Amino acid sequence: MTDRFSAMKLTYGEECFKAIQESKVLVIGAGGIGCEVLKNLVLAGFINIDVVDLDIIDISNLNRQFLFRMNHVGQPKALVAKDAVLQYNPLANINAYHGDVKTQQFDLEYFKKFNLVLSALDNISARRHVNRLCLSAGLPLVESGTAGYLGQVTIIKKGETECYECHPLPVPKQFPVCTIRSNPSAPIHCIVWAKMLFGKLFGGQKNGGDDDTNGITDMDNNIISGSEENGDIVRDEQLLVEKEKGYKRWVFHKVFNTDIQILAKMADLWKEKQPPSPLSLDNILDQKEIDETSKEGDQLINQLKDQKLWSFKENVEVFLDCAEKLKDQSEKENGLVWDKDDEISLSFVCSASNIRSQIFNIPMKSRFDVKSMAGNIIPAIGTTNAIISGLVLTEAIKIIGGRFNECHSTYLMKEPSSRRLLIPTSLEEPNPKCFVCNRNFITCKLNTDKVTVGKFVNEILKKSLAVNEPILTVGNDLIYEGGDQDLDKEEIAQRKKIEEKIMGQYRLVNGSQVIIEDYNQDFKVTMNIVHTNEFDEDIKKKKEEENKDQNRAKQQDEKKKEEDEKWFEIIGSTTTPSNENKKECDATNTNENGMVDDDDDFEILETPVPESLVCKTSSTASTNTTTTTNTTSLKRKYDEEDSEISDAKKQKSDS
Amino acid sequence: MDTAVAAASTKLTEKEAQIYDRGIRLWGVDAQTKLRQSKVLFIGINSLMSEIIKNVVLVGVDKVELVEDALATYDKLACNLFLSEDSIGKTVVSEAIQKINSLNPLVTVDSTDKEFETMTDDFVKGYDLVVLSHTNFSNAYIVNNLCKKNNIPFILTGTFGLHGFIFEDLNEFTYQKRDESKEGSLIETHKLSYKTISESLKGGVWNKRVDPHFLVLFLLAKFEEKHNRVPDVLQNIDTEELTSNLNEVIKQHTLKQSEIDKIFKITKDTLRTLNAEVPTTCSVLGGIAGIEVIRILSRNGTPINNWLFLDVEKGTGNVEIL
Amino acid sequence: MAGISSARLSEERKNWRKDHPYGFYARPTTNTDGSLNLFVWSCGIPGKKDTIWENGVYPLTMEFTEDYPSKPPKCRFPKDFFHPNVYPSGTVCLSILNEESDWKPSITIKTVLLGIQDLLDNPNPKSPAQQLPIHLFLQDKDEYVKKVRQQAKSYPLAE
């Protein structure tokens, strides 16, 4: 016995172990889950591993990302992780990339090199990207996430399971503008305000300092009430006085005095509450320090320095100090971006938020707590990641070993629920209305330099595909609206103009994707436009032949021949491939390992190609019209309820 | 003692606050401080234990003490995080100490020798928790009893291929917990009473609602009691005896065929891989055991009472009171 | 990718064409090439009959993002539009337009416009967004009415 894998071979079997060694795995993320996954992979005998991560190591990673040491802080995670994990098997062939998986470097071709992808990411945007690439490449994807004590693992495989986007994903919370600007009632409202203030004051041009929607304050406006019109303007003259005394005093007075005066005048806001009182800087600075922090009586011996609440005066002093420093920095660097790990930026937000809180009778928060809230920090520990990554590996081995039917999702609870700490659930089938994994695709080949929009609509959409009143969308734009009765004269005239345009000069270019719907019917299909000259030759030849046979009675034949000229081709079906069709596809393509060898590229990001081999049809030489399978069920049901997107059934957790 | 001095010695340093930040934000600085004062004894540094130790050391305990007398050989390597090819010929414990020091230099790590038969109270005194990796039940009883006598929390844990278990005897254990379903609720103190593993195995009544893994352990313990050794799974005679004992137990209950098949499958799988350590199971169980250690040391959150059974392929982690 | 949002907006356009409340208009804005931008709509809200807002059709821009319908659209009247719950920039402050408040993905453009129409003659003093209107509304009703009627004249009904 000369290696450490005898237990693996005994437990999983020689055949499975061989498959493990021959497989190629891509790990995306070398952080909390990533480190544990890499370790598990190498110890399980995986040899061909690529790992991608765009981050560098931070000191706060060290409590769980065990492949990293203090002296690694500042270095790229992927590279350090690779070196650390090689010790477990120096013969492993690991390629580590310090890069962003969303870039061209890691395109579809790159993904196709692997048998399996393991996602160890911590953000939704990257997860969506990886989801789509794996769907395109037909690769199984093991998705996982952790937050605090909780975690989950699931498998995504095109056509067999739900994809990451089958159900609506959680969107980050936003607070209503009125709450932030006029009416805060909780510390978080003041923190959000403070961050916006930072952006306004120090963001500079490049970082949204001029954004109209960031109406947090207007440093030059000192009108408290009234208007020019009525001639009853009330101004805060003190503002100009403070401006003379320097930037920090000017800012303080503007946001904590002038602006507060404006709000206080809105009497009805304050019917049930105390109106906010504007602050006088000099009064505060002159005040003797009252130690407010021993209010509770409880001495928190263990408290971290950052957990100690600053007194109100301390907050003011910190605010003034930071404002000045940040102003200088901002000017030197042409605008700053807020960073929770930048000491001064954090102190600014903390102090600004606390001062505002005090004005609105909201409890102040410690710097420690402000960092959590402002920085959206998710607490994290290694044990959760270790558990989840062990489950990730388990599912990975099932997939590699050809036991996909045994795969399932697993949820980790904080404490046992009905005696269960780990809860397995079966994988869900794909959502038939999923926008990402279940779209209905067809391809149309024609000469986009010659065919007009009108001809396209009338001949192809209306006649060939039997769409009643086509509605066409490309990207974010509605490019054609059928259905006369509900359009006004102007709109109809505009449409006529569009019909005269050449397709290629009106969005319907080679490689474009147009969504075709019907104004009257439940129908929807996505069509890929492919430009081709191939039909021109045929038409030319036919015309030449016609000229040769001028003596024939052509009057009757001409019409028929015109109809016979083929000038477009449609590939694909306008119905969703049924499960039966799917199985046929799989049966012909499955290789020994039970993994589907998909030749068809389900590709949204690049030029698409026909979706299913079995469903591929092309027009015959003598007719224009294409044959589509199941013409009777051409219209796909599109439920009215689709416009109501229900609340996410599953919470997708982020690590 | 002067409060200020005590405070100074227990207060986390600036650097510790930075390193342990994400954990502190999860369980609070008081729990972190308790961890920082804790000493844990780990007996039997196999692959599973290496995972547990990794998890515990990373969160910042005061000291870990290791007991292990084996040399590193290829079959010991398995998925032990402290061992690599370079370790062959060296002692497991010296490799472990080196790796732990590197993993978290703020934790003190030491080793001690001890024979199970001659252990005395002094062996376990001074530790806040003792973790034993399962090799045989005889050792388990010895260590458990010592801990019980000295009121020290005890954890026994082991893996068999794709299966594993955790047993806890925390004596009379008080801990704190906040009801998280209510906003701004207060921290409440709770208390649990635990029995020894011997009491559990002997008194534990198995019924069909109980996780079958318990039955397997029960049979292994019974075998040991009779033969004074662990079963040799390569010997037919041993497996036959275990199977016939299993049948005896099953006959005493009315079970459906599917339930019987399930029990037999788990027993067969467990016996087949009785000594196999794989990274999937060790990573998962090491993580679960790790959280338990943290909970117990910080007295924060409900610990397992008193068994957890893991089937890593099925994705089940079931807790039973037996 | 805009998949879900553009599909929903296309659906909204379809439904609006088939059936919309009298006096209102709502249409995606036109791009230079003649196509329609589904994410920016140009709308008109008529003042209710027998209120001080009558005889005016008030123009409103609705801006959608790719997070629609998880997130509500941003609705804006022209700059300095006179109404207590409209910011100087024209942004409308209304509970159904707030994610934290009463916004639900099932709320349609029709509902939004009807809701804003309702708001015209029923301002909410609890969320003042503009100094002058709220002041007049509370302290000088006559002047308030005068200003509203004046504003209605500058947004006459078409034809």
Side-chain angles (χ1 to χ4, degrees):
Chain A
M1 187 182 337
T2 53
D3 65 29
R4 66 195 308 168
F5 302 116
S6 50
M8 278 296 298
K9 289 175 195 163
L10 173 65
T11 308
Y12 289 101
E14 293 276 357
E15 218 182 285
C16 177
F17 187 73
K18 182 158 169 277
I20 285 173
Q21 296 219 295
E22 288 170 358
S23 65
K24 297 193 180 69
V25 182
L26 172 60
V27 179
I28 307 177
I33 298 180
C35 281
E36 295 280 342
V37 163
L38 283 169
K39 169 254 299 174
N40 288 339
L41 282 170
V42 175
L43 287 172
F46 284 85
I47 297 181
N48 303 305
I49 305 168
D50 272 30
V51 57
V52 180
D53 192 307
L54 53 65
D55 254 341
I56 55 172
I57 298 162
D58 179 71
I59 190 172
S60 66
N61 299 149
L62 300 178
N63 81 324
R64 61 200 183 279
Q65 297 173 22
F66 80 102
L67 297 177
F68 309 141
R69 302 284 174 269
M70 186 63 87
N71 60 299
H72 292 135
V73 173
Q75 294 180 35
K77 289 188 180 182
L79 307 184
V80 177
K82 168 189 168 172
D83 283 338
V85 97
L86 274 174
Q87 62 165 308
Y88 296 122
N89 183 5
L91 298 176
N93 173 25
I94 305 176
N95 297 314
Y97 300 96
H98 176 211
D100 183 351
V101 75
K102 284 163 40 175
T103 57
Q104 273 300 107
Q105 187 185 8
F106 307 106
D107 62 4
L108 187 64
E109 284 313 303
Y110 174 79
F111 266 68
K112 281 181 170 176
K113 295 193 293 190
F114 303 97
N115 306 114
L116 178 62
V117 179
L118 307 179
S119 159
L121 291 161
D122 61 359
N123 69 90
I124 290 181
S125 156
R127 281 190 166 121
R128 289 172 76 175
H129 181 87
V130 170
N131 177 52
R132 292 169 187 207
L133 277 173
C134 288
L135 289 170
S136 280
L139 287 177
L141 167 65
V142 183
E143 241 295 337
S144 60
T146 60
Y149 295 109
L150 305 171
Q152 69 186 67
V153 180
T154 191
I155 320 297
I156 292 171
K157 186 146 195 289
K158 183 189 148 204
E160 312 230 17
T161 72
E162 275 186 345
C163 81
Y164 184 66
E165 298 173 84
C166 271
H167 296 288
L169 295 166
V171 227
K173 279 266 175 187
Q174 263 185 354
F175 295 99
V177 175
C178 346
T179 311
I180 303 301
R181 289 213 247 173
S182 325
N183 216 347
S185 54
I188 184 65
H189 303 150
C190 300
I191 291 171
V192 171
W193 175 89
K195 282 174 78 179
M196 290 183 78
L197 182 67
F198 180 98
K200 184 79 187 185
L201 298 176
F202 314 119
Q205 260 186 350
K206 67 180 180 189
N207 295 322
D210 293 333
D211 188 3
D212 206 13
T213 58
N214 182 349
I216 257 330
T217 192
D218 179 355
M219 288 304 294
D220 292 311
N221 178 18
N222 70 347
I223 298 176
I224 295 175
S225 65
S227 67
E228 295 271 6
E229 262 180 8
N230 299 351
D232 61 351
I233 286 191
V234 177
R235 289 183 189 274
D236 180 3
E237 304 296 345
Q238 184 62 18
L239 184 63
L240 296 166
V241 175
E242 295 295 332
K243 188 172 177 181
E244 296 296 308
K245 293 187 186 167
Y247 183 79
K248 58 188 181 186
R249 290 193 64 115
W250 181 34
V251 174
F252 186 95
H253 190 91
K254 179 64 174 59
V255 300
F256 299 128
N257 189 304
T258 314
D259 288 347
I260 302 300
Q261 286 190 55
I262 297 171
L263 285 177
K265 288 247 172 218
M266 297 180 176
D268 239 56
L269 263 178
W270 314 113
K271 270 197 173 149
E272 285 147 38
K273 280 195 272 192
Q274 272 260 47
S277 322
L279 300 179
S280 155
L281 183 54
D282 286 324
N283 287 352
I284 297 166
L285 294 175
D286 288 338
Q287 246 173 32
K288 270 247 156 76
E289 188 83 80
I290 307 167
D291 190 1
E292 296 166 10
T293 57
S294 55
K295 259 195 281 204
E296 303 206 340
D298 256 317
Q299 265 302 354
L300 297 159
I301 303 174
N302 299 325
Q303 209 181 44
L304 297 173
K305 184 175 124 206
D306 253 15
Q307 290 178 310
K308 184 171 186 290
L309 272 176
W310 295 336
S311 69
F312 181 63
K313 188 168 170 191
E314 273 179 293
N315 275 297
V316 170
E317 286 163 347
V318 169
F319 176 84
L320 295 171
D321 185 45
C322 291
E324 200 165 48
K325 290 193 172 123
L326 287 168
K327 189 65 185 171
D328 285 337
Q329 220 189 328
S330 164
E331 270 157 13
K332 279 190 196 127
E333 293 173 32
N334 253 324
L336 304 173
V337 176
W338 190 77
D339 176 11
K340 70 180 186 301
D341 293 316
D342 179 68
E343 298 301 315
I344 301 181
S345 298
L346 178 60
S347 291
F348 176 83
V349 163
C350 180
S351 57
S353 172
N354 280 338
I355 297 170
R356 186 171 173 84
S357 292
Q358 190 80 331
I359 291 174
F360 287 92
N361 289 303
I362 296 167
M364 298 195 288
K365 283 285 180 188
S366 69
R367 195 168 181 275
F368 185 82
D369 287 343
V370 170
K371 187 172 182 180
S372 265
M373 291 189 271
N376 293 312
I377 296 180
I378 300 178
I381 45 173
T383 47
T384 315
N385 293 331
I387 296 168
I388 292 303
S389 65
L391 296 171
V392 165
L393 241 295
T394 304
E395 299 303 305
I397 293 174
K398 285 179 193 170
I399 295 171
I400 295 293
R403 292 182 292 129
F404 187 84
N405 55 308
E406 290 177 32
C407 285
H408 54 75
S409 296
T410 318
Y411 291 83
L412 168 65
M413 313 299 289
K414 176 177 175 183
E415 286 178 7
S417 158
S418 307
R419 290 163 37 209
R420 302 195 299 169
L421 185 66
L422 291 177
I423 302 182
T425 60
S426 45
L427 298 171
E428 303 274 350
E429 296 219 340
N431 176 3
K433 291 175 186 148
C434 176
F435 230 82
V436 174
C437 70
N438 247 327
R439 287 164 70 174
N440 217 354
F441 275 85
I442 58 175
T443 299
C444 181
K445 287 162 96 172
L446 75 180
N447 189 330
T448 59
D449 290 338
K450 292 221 172 114
V451 181
T452 60
V453 174
K455 188 169 180 188
F456 174 70
V457 167
N458 290 320
E459 301 293 321
I460 298 181
L461 300 184
K462 288 188 173 175
K463 276 206 190 135
S464 201
L465 296 180
V467 183
N468 222 289
E469 296 287 4
I471 295 178
L472 307 179
T473 312
V474 174
N476 290 350
D477 299 317
L478 208 47
I479 65 167
Y480 184 93
E481 285 194 287
D484 275 8
Q485 62 272 48
D486 302 314
L487 293 172
D488 62 36
K489 280 185 235 158
E490 236 181 65
E491 289 169 314
I492 294 178
Q494 177 64 25
R495 189 178 68 199
K496 273 215 158 57
K497 277 198 201 141
I498 288 170
E499 282 168 356
E500 286 160 20
K501 294 193 183 189
I502 300 291
M503 280 175 74
Q505 287 169 3
Y506 185 68
R507 311 292 212 90
L508 297 164
V509 294
N510 183 40
S512 63
Q513 240 182 33
V514 51
I515 295 180
I516 303 166
E517 293 173 271
D518 192 317
Y519 184 66
N520 291 312
Q521 311 265 10
D522 290 331
F523 173 82
K524 186 168 181 164
V525 76
T526 305
M527 177 189 275
N528 303 306
I529 306 281
V530 173
H531 168 80
T532 179
N533 286 324
E534 74 183 67
F535 304 120
D536 296 352
E537 284 301 309
D538 294 341
I539 295 174
K540 217 170 152 188
K541 274 190 195 140
K542 286 214 166 95
K543 285 228 158 86
E544 281 171 16
E545 279 179 37
E546 271 176 51
N547 290 337
K548 282 183 191 163
D549 302 315
Q550 275 181 21
N551 291 329
R552 293 204 192 166
K554 276 185 263 127
Q555 291 287 343
Q556 286 165 329
D557 291 337
E558 232 178 64
K559 247 192 186 166
K560 197 174 168 207
K561 275 175 186 162
E562 237 182 70
E563 282 166 8
D564 285 347
E565 277 164 18
K566 174 179 159 186
W567 55 277
F568 71 91
E569 182 182 342
I570 292 188
I571 304 153
S573 158
T574 53
T575 59
T576 321
S578 66
N579 279 336
E580 281 176 286
N581 280 347
K582 252 267 126 243
K583 282 188 187 135
E584 271 179 63
C585 294
D586 287 347
T588 53
N589 292 338
T590 317
N591 63 21
E592 276 173 15
N593 283 343
M595 294 178 304
V596 177
D597 228 340
D598 269 351
D599 280 333
D600 38 273
D601 296 350
F602 182 87
E603 180 53 78
I604 303 171
L605 308 168
E606 299 166 25
T607 312
V609 155
E611 178 171 355
S612 154
L613 291 173
V614 164
C615 305
K616 194 180 197 165
T617 58
S618 57
S619 47
T620 58
S622 56
T623 56
N624 269 347
T625 52
T626 186
T627 53
T628 54
T629 57
N630 300 328
T631 44
T632 48
S633 52
L634 206 62
K635 315 295 183 184
R636 187 165 76 94
K637 208 154 186 240
Y638 190 78
D639 212 344
E640 282 305 320
E641 283 167 287
D642 281 347
S643 58
E644 288 184 50
I645 300 193
S646 56
D647 294 336
K649 286 177 196 164
K650 275 197 294 233
Q651 281 297 327
K652 314 268 181 183
S653 58
D654 287 289
S655 65
Chain B
M1 190 190 318
D2 188 57
T3 337
V5 172
S9 65
T10 58
K11 248 178 116 94
L12 288 151
T13 64
E14 182 97 19
K15 189 160 149 197
E16 285 172 318
Q18 283 182 302
I19 297 172
Y20 303 131
D21 182 84
R22 299 300 191 265
I24 294 172
R25 288 180 195 275
L26 187 61
W27 48 60
V29 73
D30 285 336
Q32 185 67 37
T33 309
K34 286 205 188 86
L35 287 170
R36 200 169 161 282
Q37 296 165 328
S38 303
K39 299 173 175 46
V40 188
L41 175 65
F42 292 99
I43 307 174
I45 315 303
N46 60 5
S47 296
L48 172 63
M49 203 66 112
S50 72
E51 284 278 349
I52 302 174
I53 294 172
K54 174 237 317 157
N55 292 329
V56 170
V57 158
L58 281 177
V59 300
V61 293
D62 181 27
K63 177 171 178 186
V64 302
E65 186 91 29
L66 313 177
V67 176
E68 176 57 69
D69 56 11
L71 283 177
T73 55
Y74 272 105
D75 57 329
K76 285 262 181 293
L77 248 49
C79 45
N80 191 319
L81 299 180
F82 304 140
L83 303 178
S84 59
E85 286 233 17
D86 298 339
S87 315
I88 303 291
K90 302 183 189 160
T91 62
V92 170
V93 79
S94 65
E95 289 290 275
I97 292 176
Q98 200 185 56
K99 290 292 185 332
I100 295 168
N101 273 326
S102 163
L103 192 57
N104 190 350
L106 299 171
V107 176
T108 309
V109 56
D110 213 342
S111 71
T112 182
D113 280 329
K114 208 58 209 170
E115 297 293 332
F116 285 95
E117 289 73 20
T118 53
M119 275 180 195
T120 61
D121 290 353
D122 287 337
F123 185 66
V124 299
K125 266 191 186 156
Y127 294 106
D128 300 296
L129 172 64
V130 175
V131 185
L132 172 66
S133 62
H134 177 77
T135 45
N136 63 66
F137 286 98
S138 161
N139 292 347
Y141 300 147
I142 294 171
V143 180
N144 191 181
N145 290 335
L146 266 178
C147 288
K148 194 85 190 174
K149 209 170 136 203
N150 292 280
N151 198 25
I152 295 168
F154 167 76
I155 293 180
L156 174 73
T157 178
T159 66
F160 316 107
L162 303 171
H163 304 264
F165 76 93
I166 296 176
F167 167 83
E168 296 185 12
D169 176 1
L170 311 181
N171 310 304
E172 299 299 309
F173 190 76
T174 47
Y175 63 97
Q176 297 190 317
K177 192 180 131 129
R178 175 182 280 127
D179 183 356
E180 284 178 22
S181 59
K182 303 183 200 143
E183 268 265 15
S185 59
L186 295 168
I187 300 176
E188 294 169 345
T189 306
H190 298 260
K191 183 165 169 192
L192 290 170
S193 295
Y194 286 79
K195 53 172 84 96
T196 63
I197 188 169
S198 166
E199 287 165 345
S200 174
L201 284 171
K202 282 162 190 170
V205 179
W206 188 82
N207 68 59
K208 68 175 186 178
R209 271 179 291 278
V210 171
D211 194 305
H213 290 89
F214 180 75
L215 184 52
V216 179
L217 292 172
F218 171 75
L219 292 171
L220 288 171
K222 197 168 153 183
F223 183 97
E224 258 189 61
E225 215 184 288
K226 182 165 169 201
H227 298 276
N228 262 325
R229 62 173 175 86
V230 298
D232 182 349
V233 290
L234 296 173
Q235 296 281 25
N236 281 340
I237 192 171
D238 282 359
T239 46
E240 272 163 21
E241 181 178 329
L242 285 162
T243 314
S244 90
N245 288 345
L246 178 59
N247 271 317
E248 254 183 60
V249 173
I250 286 176
K251 277 198 195 106
Q252 297 165 19
H253 304 263
T254 16
L255 297 168
K256 290 185 248 189
Q257 188 56 44
S258 60
E259 288 165 335
I260 295 174
D261 291 341
K262 183 174 156 197
I263 294 166
F264 264 97
K265 182 165 194 307
I266 291 178
T267 311
K268 189 168 147 222
D269 284 346
T270 309
L271 291 179
R272 191 177 67 83
T273 54
L274 202 60
N275 302 309
E277 295 190 295
V278 290
T280 44
T281 321
C282 289
S283 191
V284 177
L285 200 63
I288 298 176
I291 300 186
E292 287 302 299
V293 171
I294 293 167
R295 285 212 171 108
I296 293 163
L297 294 176
S298 60
R299 302 265 164 168
N300 182 21
T302 317
I304 286 172
N305 178 16
N306 58 345
W307 289 89
L308 177 129
F309 300 108
L310 170 71
D311 181 330
V312 86
E313 287 244 316
K314 287 263 172 324
T316 57
N318 298 327
V319 173
E320 306 273 7
I321 303 182
L322 295 161
Chain C
M1 206 164 135
I4 292 176
S5 50
S6 59
R8 164 65 181 265
L9 287 166
S10 176
E11 180 84 8
E12 292 264 12
R13 168 64 176 162
K14 207 163 124 178
N15 292 337
W16 180 269
R17 281 175 59 192
K18 289 187 174 172
D19 172 39
H20 62 262
Y22 182 74
F24 287 75
Y25 66 86
R27 197 217 287 181
T29 49
T30 313
N31 297 315
T32 43
D33 66 353
S35 59
L36 301 175
N37 182 354
L38 281 167
F39 284 69
V40 181
W41 287 47
S42 176
C43 310
I45 300 178
K48 280 193 193 159
K49 213 164 177 310
D50 300 325
T51 69
I52 56 177
W53 296 82
E54 67 183 348
N55 296 326
V57 178
Y58 308 98
L60 180 90
T61 315
M62 250 193 228
E63 286 164 28
F64 301 87
T65 65
E66 287 190 12
D67 290 325
Y68 178 76
S70 296
K71 285 210 208 279
K74 182 157 135 178
C75 299
R76 266 205 264 218
F77 281 112
K79 213 163 181 290
D80 295 322
F81 187 79
F82 186 87
H83 185 283
N85 303 117
V86 174
Y87 283 94
S89 60
T91 308
V92 180
C93 183
L94 180 61
S95 67
I96 58 168
L97 291 175
N98 283 323
E99 217 184 313
E100 280 290 298
S101 185
D102 296 329
W103 169 257
K104 284 188 302 236
S106 56
I107 292 176
T108 60
I109 289 178
K110 199 197 303 191
T111 314
V112 170
L113 292 174
L114 286 170
I116 298 177
Q117 185 197 42
D118 208 59
L119 180 69
L120 289 176
D121 204 46
N122 296 294
N124 178 6
K126 286 220 165 70
S127 52
Q130 222 189 118
Q131 181 56 24
L132 188 62
I134 191 71
H135 174 75
L136 294 178
F137 181 74
L138 296 170
Q139 317 285 26
D140 190 348
K141 252 315 175 12
D142 289 337
E143 185 65 21
Y144 178 81
V145 170
K146 195 165 139 202
K147 274 198 146 12
V148 169
R149 288 208 186 277
Q150 203 175 13
Q151 181 170 251
K153 292 209 181 105
S154 41
Y155 298 115
L157 293 156
E159 286 160 333

